[in-house]
Amino acid sequence: MGVGRFVYTPILPLMHARAGLSAGAGAHLATANYGGYLAGALAGSLAPRLVRSSVVLRVCLVALVASLAGMALTHSTLIWLLLRLGAGAFSAMIFVIAAGSLLSHLRDHPAHLPGWAFGGVGAGIALSGLLVLVLRTVGTWQTAWWASAALAVPLTLAAWGLRPEPAVPRAVTQTPGAVPQAPRTHRWFGALFVSYTLEGVGYIIAGTFLVAAIEQTSPGWLGSGAWVLVGLAAIPSAALWAGLGRRWTRPDLLLAALAVQAVGIALPALVGGVAAALLSALLFGSTFIGVSTLALGTGAHLRFPRAVALLTAGYSVGQILGPLVATPLLRHGYQQALLLAAAVVLAAALTAFLLRAGFPHTMPEPHEPRAVAGGRPPDRTAR
């Protein structure tokens, strides 16, 4: 998913320079990808069976690879739009399936394990960024798309055996008075949903235009190099943020991660030079995966129904809005767009601050459904 979703960012400057792609058309391609991501997230929310299917996962993996290869076969902006739309939908399904699998199968394991798994997105970003950094001097933009598809093939094979989240067994007759009722968590989930949606707006502006913004005022290699650093910083970030959960609460960590990300996004717009660009990449890369895992983990902790799919859908809406609101600002370069992104992420941090008021740090353990009197207890191997 890290390759299929994010290789477009380092390839975008090549398409501007060598494929005749305008800044506005580049933003439209990004928007198409995020629209597809929303469609995939909504499909996962409305049809839970899809995200519990190994067949759906494998079809999406293969289709994502095909969408990368297809970008090199045409100069048609319309076909590019359709391919990026499909890539977004396939990426969302992969993400929701993988996140659900991690949060269910590793529920009773140390929190850093799902974090390292989410770091795979960062590894994909780093590998694809390094690939484009090498090919930018010896190949064409088509070569970059072909190479990204080739890179995604072995990753697809490695992911082939992932087990989706198992279906939740239907509850049957309970023993009266035996189970504590979980508190209503709607108000905390509402604040989390708004915060994560705002993060989708701000993060995606930076995620789409950061490389182009750095290359506009710095040596050409620096933009792609910074994107590699984004991926490298993202690999351990989720595990590190999860590790901090031993000492800090989820709302505090989410607030801190969003605040750090806002600083990282604003930095290249306010300060030029190599050091600012690399520090920006480090701060952005070390937080955006962490924010996702913290938000999804918080949603799972609150036990809100379909939390992963709903949060991903809100995030996707934010990703669609991000390029749309940033496009009018691109006429004068990328500085204003990055400042807007930083302001929106800061608003997400302020919204996350609301989670701290009375947040239920402990929740009643989910109970096993009990059979009617005289029946057998449910089989625990389903877990």
Side-chain angles (χ1 to χ4, degrees):
M1 182 204 164
V3 176
R5 264 296 326 262
F6 297 105
V7 73
Y8 176 71
T9 298
I11 294 180
L12 180 60
L14 292 178
M15 296 186 73
H16 284 326
R18 304 176 190 178
L21 187 70
S22 67
H28 292 154
L29 290 183
T31 301
N33 185 253
Y34 311 142
Y37 199 82
L38 173 61
L42 288 176
S45 176
L46 298 175
R49 289 185 179 180
L50 292 178
V51 299
R52 299 190 183 112
S53 169
S54 295
V55 174
V56 172
L57 171 64
R58 293 168 181 174
V59 168
C60 289
L61 288 168
V62 172
L64 185 57
V65 175
S67 73
L68 294 172
M71 291 293 290
L73 298 176
T74 180
H75 282 76
S76 168
T77 302
L78 176 59
I79 296 179
W80 284 339
L81 283 168
L82 294 175
L83 288 170
R84 294 310 292 164
L85 180 74
F90 306 138
S91 295
M93 290 298 297
I94 292 169
F95 183 79
V96 173
I97 291 172
S101 175
L102 292 170
L103 295 176
S104 63
H105 291 123
L106 300 182
R107 185 183 300 277
D108 298 324
H109 292 72
H112 68 85
L113 286 181
W116 283 111
F118 280 110
V121 178
I125 291 172
L127 288 172
S128 58
L130 185 61
L131 191 69
V132 176
L133 181 62
V134 171
L135 292 176
R136 62 181 293 118
T137 57
V138 297
T140 64
W141 63 270
Q142 292 103 324
T143 306
W145 283 113
W146 281 119
S148 65
L151 173 63
V153 170
L155 298 175
T156 292
L157 296 177
W160 202 254
L162 179 70
R163 290 184 300 135
E165 176 184 10
V168 179
R170 291 183 179 180
V172 291
T173 305
Q174 305 291 325
T175 302
V179 180
Q181 293 296 314
R184 290 177 62 84
T185 57
H186 292 71
R187 69 184 181 97
W188 294 291
F189 185 83
L192 177 66
F193 182 84
V194 172
S195 177
Y196 197 47
T197 300
L198 289 171
E199 158 69 357
V201 176
Y203 130 83
I204 207 59
I205 295 174
T208 302
F209 301 118
L210 185 63
V211 171
I214 292 174
E215 290 192 355
Q216 194 173 46
T217 57
S218 306
W221 61 268
L222 185 58
S224 295
W227 192 244
V228 174
L229 183 57
V230 167
L232 292 175
I235 293 173
S237 65
L240 293 176
W241 284 105
L244 291 174
R246 299 187 187 100
R247 299 186 61 182
W248 303 94
T249 66
R250 287 179 173 91
D252 287 340
L253 288 174
L254 187 59
L255 172 62
L258 288 167
V260 170
Q261 186 183 115
V263 172
I265 293 173
L267 198 57
L270 299 174
V271 182
V274 174
L278 295 180
L279 181 58
S280 170
L282 182 63
L283 294 179
F284 181 69
S286 64
T287 53
F288 83 94
I289 297 291
V291 168
S292 289
T293 54
L294 287 169
L296 296 177
T298 302
H301 168 77
L302 293 172
R303 306 218 174 98
F304 197 86
R306 300 179 185 175
V308 171
L310 288 172
L311 288 169
T312 303
Y315 193 64
S316 304
V317 171
Q319 290 179 115
I320 293 173
L321 295 176
L324 292 177
V325 299
T327 298
L329 303 177
L330 300 180
R331 299 170 187 169
H332 307 290
Y334 295 96
Q335 183 181 30
Q336 293 180 357
L338 291 182
L339 291 175
L340 172 65
V344 174
V345 173
L346 186 59
L350 294 176
T351 307
F353 181 79
L354 300 176
L355 283 170
R356 302 175 77 250
F359 185 82
H361 299 292
T362 59
M363 297 282 288
E365 288 298 319
H367 58 272
E368 299 264 358
R370 295 176 178 269
V372 292
R376 296 177 58 189
D379 184 2
R380 293 178 179 266
T381 60
R383 289 186 174 183

